[in-house]
């Protein structure tokens, strides 16, 4: 189950300690967790480089949790509309 306080985005690359999501680069927090489509924790070097994701932040604004969505989950987490 995914937490309620997540942001939806499109993963565009993982290059530790940074991730690029929806044209923005974020820093991974110490102890951050990346979960793949099978809900397995993966290290950044073996994480998929693209896909729809939801993620949340720690108190410093760094990515604490990142979940790569399955094809079934994607319709429930649409990308936010650009202004």
């Amino acid at each position: 189950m995914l937490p309620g306080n997540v942001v939806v985005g499109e993963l565009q690359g993982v290059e530790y300690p940074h991730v690029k999501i929806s044209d923005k680069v974020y820093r991974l927090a110490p102890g951050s967790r990346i979960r793949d489509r099978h809900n397995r924790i993966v290290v950044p070097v073996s994480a998929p480089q693209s896909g729809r994701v939801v993620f949340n932040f720690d108190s410093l604004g760094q990515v604490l949790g990142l979940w790569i969505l399955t094809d079934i989950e994607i319709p429930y987490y649409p990308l936010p509309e650009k202004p």
Side-chain angles (χ1 to χ4, degrees):
M1 181 160 216
L2 298 170
N5 62 335
V6 293
V7 179
V8 180
E10 197 67 35
L11 183 64
Q12 297 169 316
V14 178
E15 191 173 321
Y16 186 78
H18 299 98
V19 292
K20 186 174 183 182
I21 303 171
S22 299
D23 296 325
K24 293 184 182 178
V25 176
Y26 300 97
R27 185 174 179 84
L28 290 169
S32 61
R33 293 188 176 146
I34 299 173
R35 293 191 180 262
D36 69 7
R37 289 178 175 90
H38 302 286
N39 205 30
R40 298 176 295 206
I41 296 174
V42 295
V43 294
V45 71
S46 65
Q49 295 293 309
S50 63
R52 178 82 49 88
V53 296
V54 294
F55 58 104
N56 60 10
F57 299 102
D58 67 3
S59 60
L60 298 175
Q62 298 174 336
V63 174
L64 184 59
L66 187 142
W67 294 263
I68 298 158
L69 299 177
T70 65
D71 292 338
I72 294 170
E73 294 169 324
I74 287 173
Y76 297 100
Y77 294 92
L79 288 170
E81 294 193 24
K82 295 183 179 182

